[in-house]
Amino acid sequence: FTTMKLTTVGNPPTLPDCEPRQLVSDLFHALSQPLTTLRCSLELTLQQTPTAEQYREIVSRALAQAERVSWLVTGIRELFDAGEASSGEVLELQAAVQGVVSDLLPVTESAGVRICYLPRSACPVRFDAQRLRQGLFHLLEFAVGSCERGAVVKIELAEAGEEVVLRIVVCGDRVSCDQEPGELARRLGLGIARAIFEAAGGSFLGERSVGYLGVEVRMPRCAVAAS
């Protein structure tokens, strides 16, 4: 692949996927749906005497809704925790990205998605190691989950003055829409990643169009990489 030219994105159209207020609103709206279904199922059970088969069906449906509630509550908690500031150490972002890319290879191979990673330097940043991995994993998982088989996820990492720039571009025939199954989970992951990077002093920019998705994360560059 030809090396991408890193440029500053000037006032890009913000990705609606991870706007904090809209994302939190959508998550709570999604939470109300299984709670309502669960309540209706229990009320129906009290109003009539179901057969054994009907009872099993009601319990099975209620369990599925309870699991949905549990997932949403856990996700909301992780989203709020991601925005908390934390202490860190000097880490090589290049190595951290490489580690997450390696871990995601089985997923990308199964999905028929190719990753092109173009690091230019170690790119030292100050970050908590666990939170950095969490943010990168959610970010790359969102990128991979937003494209179809045959698409390419291009990752470029470089130093630009006093900043480190991580840019991820998804190119393919189609980038997923908000209405698709699993889209809320992808948006949640992206929102968590954004909160983690911004809490560490970074900035987050994104743009989306037909067949294209671009995300750019900028973080302060440290003078010396960890030994």
Side-chain angles (χ1 to χ4, degrees):
F1 296 102
T2 301
T3 299
M4 295 181 294
K5 182 180 179 181
L6 271 176
T7 57
T8 301
V9 181
N11 298 320
T14 304
L15 276 175
D17 307 77
C18 61
E19 281 296 314
R21 182 173 297 181
Q22 184 61 52
L23 179 55
V24 171
S25 176
D26 290 345
L27 286 167
F28 276 108
H29 176 70
L31 182 60
S32 70
Q33 294 174 333
L35 288 174
T36 299
T37 302
L38 185 58
R39 184 186 65 187
C40 291
S41 296
L42 295 175
E43 289 177 348
L44 183 63
T45 304
L46 292 175
Q47 292 172 5
Q48 63 185 29
T49 304
T51 64
E53 183 177 349
Q54 290 173 332
Y55 183 77
R56 284 194 296 270
E57 182 179 347
I58 291 172
V59 172
S60 177
R61 187 164 54 246
L63 180 59
Q65 298 305 318
E67 290 175 347
R68 177 70 172 172
V69 169
S70 177
W71 177 82
L72 285 165
V73 170
T74 300
I76 292 171
R77 175 61 184 273
E78 187 178 359
L79 178 61
F80 281 109
D81 288 347
E84 296 292 329
S86 62
S87 59
E89 58 184 309
V90 180
L91 302 171
E92 291 185 356
L93 185 56
Q94 187 273 338
V97 174
Q98 183 62 58
V100 173
V101 168
S102 297
D103 289 344
L104 284 176
L105 279 180
V107 177
T108 59
E109 290 175 355
S110 176
V113 175
R114 291 180 293 168
I115 291 184
C116 177
Y117 181 33
L118 303 170
R120 294 181 179 179
S121 64
C123 295
V125 294
R126 184 170 296 279
F127 227 110
D128 175 80
Q130 183 175 353
R131 285 170 65 86
L132 177 58
R133 175 177 172 77
Q134 179 188 17
L136 290 172
F137 188 88
H138 279 304
L139 187 60
L140 293 178
E141 189 177 47
F142 170 80
V144 172
S146 295
C147 53
E148 288 189 331
R149 182 173 293 275
V152 178
V153 177
K154 297 182 180 180
I155 306 171
E156 184 163 288
L157 182 61
E159 296 178 13
E162 298 301 315
E163 293 182 313
V164 166
V165 184
L166 171 64
R167 185 161 176 79
I168 300 175
V169 174
V170 176
C171 300
D173 293 334
R174 189 183 61 82
V175 176
S176 62
C177 302
D178 290 350
Q179 291 78 15
E180 294 187 1
E183 181 64 17
L184 183 59
R186 290 193 288 272
R187 290 179 57 203
L188 175 59
L190 183 62
I192 292 170
R194 174 178 180 169
I196 288 174
F197 290 120
E198 290 182 340
S203 63
F204 183 98
L205 298 172
E207 53 189 345
R208 180 199 292 267
S209 60
V210 178
Y212 172 86
L213 172 69
V215 175
E216 182 179 277
V217 177
R218 289 177 173 261
M219 290 173 283
R221 180 178 62 85
C222 291
V224 181
S227 58

